[in-house]
């Protein structure tokens, strides 16, 4: 019977122990979940039992600590140590309470006592190293953490502490090495990646910094600061990495949509990526928050312009003028938008303002010149084209010579036109319009230049493909006629006949050409053809006195 009683007692003890361990495990779960009160309720039964359980007392103290009852936490921790002098976590708990109570000396003494019982225990050494670091004893901290590393080379937290110590000591390269080892051992610690990213950035290792910050974003999606810092880093890089910045800013505003700063950067990144629909939406969001944001008005105006929303773009540029100084690029787009809406006077006003800010905006001279020509202000148009080719010697400016020459022709300043066309041809001889303009200018300059005009017309004719003759019908008639006129002036009527006949193939209704052809036949003694051409001329234009006189001279009745 005695043996049976002993067995019963033993079973009762075992069951009691198993129940206690189950409650301890549940208490640990509660503590891990932040439910300290629930853990305390479970543990209170265990610590009140006759059996002494060091771990239960340690957890009991931890629950009090989590509930900000430090005195009770310390008492429970000391009780755990009295039951088991090798309970490392109990020493760390008591030391933590003492440090929180600003008694660092006592806290270090507690950890040292633990190290007497468990020599070179890595957890105690690590706790001591971190405590010394918080007390600004950096050198001593490094010594203790190094001992901890030797005791357990695979504990990531030790390398984290060493990284903090070397960073505080001002040795960033050593700190980086320790942090890198820490994340190698534990790739899920967002805080270490964050510290590593900051040091990389400080050391201008921007790609590494970006990778570290990106890892933080994955591990800790709620970390607003790192996500925004990562975007800022891309925005500040050289050259700016707008694509990467936009990607993380999109994540940021999706999670934290009320950030004014993030929306502003997002609008900028999208704008410079030329993602105009998205940039427009972002800029409008910024303007709801800050109606006086010059940047946002600029992004909106330009995005609208690029999306061919010209009316809205002009309205946005007008708003921009009210809150910020217009840049040259703004004024140019404002001018272009007005051109699209055929508001030429407003376009010219914008172009002139742009040129006041930057007289070297060469393309603007052509734009303004074209508008002045459209308004028949040929003197102003010529001035614009002249400014273009006098400030720009590149091939892109050549067209300005032709347009300048065209303006001067209308203004009857034929010699200026001639010089402009000739200058163009000296640089590019295969452009038909320049040869035609030169020929016309020479025709009107003086009688002495008729032969040069003929040569110019002949060069122009060489450049007109047969397939395009219909397009140039009027000009072809003019060219052949004036070639004939030039031969007349050179006293070569026999050579004038062919070009004059050719001219009439393109325009048979020109009475003057018929008369000149008749005159050429007359001077070459072809009376029959002379009469025919005079009669055609007079029929086409009864007011052609020369044709009438010619017929009367030949004795042909004229009604």
């Amino acid at each position: 019977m005695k043996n049976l009683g002993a067995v019963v007692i033993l079973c009762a003890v075992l069951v009691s122990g198993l129940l206690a361990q189950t409650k301890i495990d549940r208490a640990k779960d509660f503590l891990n979940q932040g439910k300290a009160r629930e853990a305390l309720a479970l543990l209170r039964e265990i610590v009140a039992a006759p059996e002494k359980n060091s771990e239960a007392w340690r957890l009991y103290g931890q629950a009090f600590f989590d509930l900000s009852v430090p005195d009770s936490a310390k008492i429970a921790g000391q009780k755990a140590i009295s039951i088991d002098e090798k309970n490392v976590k109990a020493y760390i708990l008591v030391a933590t309470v003492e440090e929180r109570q600003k008694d660092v000396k006592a806290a270090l003494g507690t950890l040292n006592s633990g190290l007497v019982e468990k020599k070179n225990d890595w957890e105690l050494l690590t706790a001591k190293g971190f405590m010394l670091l918080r007390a600004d004893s950096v050198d001593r901290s490094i010594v203790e953490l190094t001992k901890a590393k030797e005791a357990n080379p695979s504990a990531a937290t030790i390398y984290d502490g060493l990284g903090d110590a070397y960073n505080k000591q001002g040795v960033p390269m050593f700190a980086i090495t320790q942090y890198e080892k820490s994340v190698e051992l534990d790739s899920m610690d967002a805080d270490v990646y964050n510290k590593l990213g900051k040091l990389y950035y400080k050391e201008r290792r921007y790609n590494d910094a970006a990778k570290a910050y990106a890892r933080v974003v994955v591990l800790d999606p709620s970390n607003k600061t790192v996500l925004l810092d990562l975007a800022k880093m891309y925005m500040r890089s050289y050259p700016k990495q707008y694509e990467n910045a936009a990607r993380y800013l999109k994540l940021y505003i999706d999670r934290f949509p009320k950030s004014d700063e993030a929306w502003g950067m997002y609008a900028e990144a999208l704008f410079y990526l030329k993602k105009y629909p998205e940039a427009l939406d972002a800029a409008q969001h910024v303007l709801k928050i800050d109606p006086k944001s010059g940047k946002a008005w600029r992004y909106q105006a330009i995005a609208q312009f690029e999306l061919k929303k010209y009316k809205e773009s002009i309205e946005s540029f007008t708003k921009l003028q009210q809150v910020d100084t217009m840049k040259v690029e703004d004024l140019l787009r404002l001018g272009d938008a007005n051109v699209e809406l055929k508001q030429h006077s407003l376009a010219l006003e914008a172009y002139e303002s742009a040129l006041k800010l930057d007289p070297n905006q060469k393309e603007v001279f052509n734009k303004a010149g074209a508008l002045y020509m459209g308004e028949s202000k040929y003197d102003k148009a010529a001035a614009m084209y002249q400014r273009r080719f006098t400030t720009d010697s590149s091939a892109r400016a050549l067209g300005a010579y032709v347009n300048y020459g065209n303006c001067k022709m209308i203004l009857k300043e034929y010699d200026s036109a001639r010089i402009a066309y000739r200058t163009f041809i000296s640089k590019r001889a295969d452009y038909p319009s320049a040869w035609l303009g030169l020929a016309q200018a020479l025709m009107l300059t003086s009688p002495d230049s008729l032969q040069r005009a003929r040569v110019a017309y002949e060069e122009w004719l060489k450049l007109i493909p047969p397939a395009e003759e219909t397009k140039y019908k009027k000009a072809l008639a003019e060219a052949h006629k004036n070639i004939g006129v030039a031969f007349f002036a050179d006293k070569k009527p026999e050579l004038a006949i062919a070009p004059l006949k050719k001219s009439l193939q393109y325009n048979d209704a020109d009475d003057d050409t018929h008369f000149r052809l008749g005159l050429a036949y007359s001077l070459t003694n072809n009376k029959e053809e002379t009469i025919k051409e005079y009669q055609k001329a007079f029929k086409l234009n009864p007011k052609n006195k020369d044709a009438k006189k010619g017929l009367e001279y030949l004795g042909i009745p004229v009604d």
Side-chain angles (χ1 to χ4, degrees):
M1 289 295 292
K2 287 183 179 179
N3 290 337
L4 179 60
V7 169
V8 170
I9 292 170
L10 178 61
C11 288
V13 170
L14 289 172
V15 169
S16 175
L18 288 171
L19 289 172
Q21 186 58 48
T22 300
K23 289 182 179 180
I24 287 172
D25 290 340
R26 287 180 63 198
K28 285 180 180 178
D29 289 338
F30 279 133
L31 287 171
N32 289 333
Q33 295 168 23
K35 297 178 179 179
R37 293 189 184 281
E38 289 83 345
L40 203 63
L42 278 174
L43 293 164
R44 190 174 282 118
E45 297 177 24
I46 302 172
V47 298
E51 296 81 10
K52 305 301 181 184
N53 190 314
S54 177
E55 183 62 5
W57 275 102
R58 199 271 303 177
L59 291 170
Y60 194 53
Q62 186 64 53
F64 277 121
F65 184 81
D66 291 350
L67 291 168
S68 300
V69 188
D71 291 336
S72 297
K74 183 176 179 180
I75 291 168
Q78 289 172 333
K79 181 69 174 177
I81 293 170
S82 69
I83 296 169
D84 179 6
E85 292 182 342
K86 295 187 183 298
N87 190 328
V88 170
K89 287 183 170 58
Y91 285 105
I92 293 173
L93 171 63
V94 173
T96 302
V97 173
E98 289 168 335
E99 183 186 24
R100 183 71 60 85
Q101 293 174 332
K102 301 188 184 302
D103 192 350
V104 176
K105 183 177 180 181
L108 290 170
T110 298
L111 293 174
N112 286 329
S113 297
L115 285 165
V116 170
E117 297 298 328
K118 288 200 74 172
K119 189 176 181 181
N120 291 328
D121 180 85
W122 76 272
E123 288 183 282
L124 288 168
L125 288 167
T126 301
K128 185 178 179 183
F130 274 105
M131 191 175 291
L132 287 167
L133 184 59
R134 289 190 291 273
D136 291 329
S137 295
V138 180
D139 292 343
R140 290 175 62 196
S141 170
I142 291 172
V143 170
E144 297 302 322
L145 288 168
T146 302
K147 290 179 184 177
K149 181 175 69 172
E150 291 170 354
N152 185 4
S154 61
T157 186
I158 299 170
Y159 297 96
D160 179 21
L162 282 167
D164 290 347
Y166 284 123
N167 192 21
K168 203 167 189 177
Q169 202 176 51
V171 191
M173 294 309 298
F174 283 11
I176 286 172
T177 302
Q178 300 304 317
Y179 288 141
E180 287 175 336
K181 183 64 177 178
S182 179
V183 296
E184 180 186 319
L185 293 168
D186 179 7
S187 62
M188 303 301 289
D189 194 328
D191 184 56
V192 180
Y193 276 110
N194 190 10
K195 290 185 280 191
L196 192 53
K198 288 178 180 178
L199 276 182
Y200 281 143
Y201 188 82
K202 186 178 179 182
E203 294 298 301
R204 299 184 179 183
R205 293 170 60 177
Y206 300 121
N207 289 335
D208 290 331
K211 290 176 184 176
Y213 281 138
R215 184 65 181 157
V216 178
V217 171
V218 171
L219 295 171
D220 185 7
S222 64
N223 193 322
K224 293 175 66 174
T225 303
V226 170
L227 189 53
L228 194 59
D229 283 348
L230 178 57
K232 286 180 180 178
M233 186 185 73
Y234 283 124
M235 291 293 283
R236 292 169 183 164
S237 64
Y238 184 81
K240 293 185 178 183
Q241 298 183 43
Y242 291 116
E243 192 75 51
N244 288 326
R247 182 168 69 254
Y248 287 106
L249 285 165
K250 180 68 167 62
L251 284 173
Y252 188 92
I253 61 177
D254 284 347
R255 296 172 187 175
F256 316 107
K258 295 183 179 180
S259 172
D260 301 358
E261 184 181 17
W263 274 107
M265 288 193 293
Y266 189 49
E268 179 181 347
L270 292 170
F271 173 77
Y272 284 107
L273 287 169
K274 297 184 178 181
K275 295 182 177 180
Y276 295 117
E278 297 90 340
L280 180 57
D281 289 341
Q284 289 172 342
H285 191 100
V286 174
L287 289 170
K288 288 177 183 176
I289 301 166
D290 181 10
K292 293 186 178 181
S293 171
K295 279 188 175 182
W297 280 116
R298 179 170 286 110
Y299 299 151
Q300 175 169 294
I302 296 175
Q304 288 167 332
F305 176 85
E306 296 297 335
L307 294 170
K308 299 184 179 180
K309 297 181 178 182
Y310 300 117
K311 185 175 181 293
E312 294 89 337
S313 178
I314 291 169
E315 291 170 356
S316 296
F317 276 125
T318 302
K319 289 285 188 180
L320 174 59
Q321 286 177 307
Q322 296 170 6
V323 299
D324 200 356
T325 302
M326 292 280 278
K327 297 179 180 178
V328 173
E329 295 78 8
D330 303 328
L331 291 164
L332 294 180
R333 283 191 174 89
L334 176 58
D336 291 347
N338 277 300
V339 169
E340 294 292 340
L341 296 180
K342 302 188 184 307
Q343 298 173 162
H344 294 167
S345 60
L346 293 175
L348 283 166
E349 184 180 321
Y351 291 149
E352 292 283 7
S353 296
L355 289 171
K356 286 178 183 176
L357 290 177
D358 183 4
N360 293 317
Q361 284 293 321
K362 297 161 186 160
E363 295 295 335
V364 182
F365 297 134
N366 283 1
K367 292 179 179 181
L371 290 179
Y372 279 128
M373 286 186 77
E375 294 192 350
S376 300
K377 296 178 180 178
Y378 299 108
D379 53 341
K380 290 187 176 181
M384 285 294 169
Y385 290 126
Q386 186 174 31
R387 288 175 69 181
R388 175 62 195 270
F389 62 68
T390 54
T391 58
D392 185 1
S393 59
S394 71
R396 291 175 60 86
L398 282 178
Y401 283 103
V402 174
N403 289 322
Y404 174 82
N406 295 342
C407 290
K408 290 298 183 179
M409 288 292 289
I410 295 169
L411 294 168
K412 298 183 179 181
E413 297 177 19
Y414 304 123
D415 198 53
S416 296
R418 175 188 63 80
I419 293 169
Y421 293 132
R422 179 62 74 184
T423 303
F424 180 96
I425 291 167
S426 69
K427 299 175 184 292
R428 183 180 170 185
D430 62 345
Y431 193 67
S433 294
W435 282 108
L436 183 60
L438 176 61
Q440 292 169 337
L442 288 166
M443 287 293 297
L444 296 166
T445 301
S446 71
D448 295 337
S449 59
L450 288 178
Q451 301 313 312
R452 284 180 288 156
R454 176 178 60 79
V455 172
Y457 276 125
E458 288 171 343
E459 291 297 326
W460 176 74
L461 288 169
K462 293 175 185 177
L463 298 172
I464 303 302
E468 295 186 17
E469 285 190 357
T470 303
K471 176 181 175 182
Y472 295 102
K473 192 173 181 181
K474 182 179 178 181
L476 285 165
E478 172 201 319
H480 287 292
K481 176 181 178 178
N482 287 333
I483 290 172
V485 170
F487 280 127
F488 262 116
D490 201 26
K491 299 179 180 181
K492 295 176 180 177
E494 70 282 1
L495 296 180
I497 293 173
L500 290 170
K501 288 176 70 176
K502 191 73 172 177
S503 176
L504 291 169
Q505 290 178 15
Y506 298 106
N507 182 15
D508 193 51
D510 188 335
D511 63 291
D512 185 62
T513 306
H514 278 290
F515 170 74
R516 291 178 184 275
L517 179 55
L519 184 59
Y521 281 130
S522 173
L523 294 172
T524 56
N525 300 314
N526 190 333
K527 183 177 179 181
E528 183 179 348
E529 293 298 326
T530 300
I531 293 171
K532 287 181 183 179
E533 295 304 323
Y534 283 168
Q535 285 177 329
K536 288 179 182 178
F538 187 71
K539 184 177 181 180
L540 288 168
N541 181 13
K543 294 181 180 180
N544 190 321
K545 295 178 180 179
D546 292 329
K548 183 179 180 182
K549 286 180 181 180
L551 288 169
E552 289 174 345
Y553 180 81
L554 293 171
I556 305 300
V558 178
D559 295 333

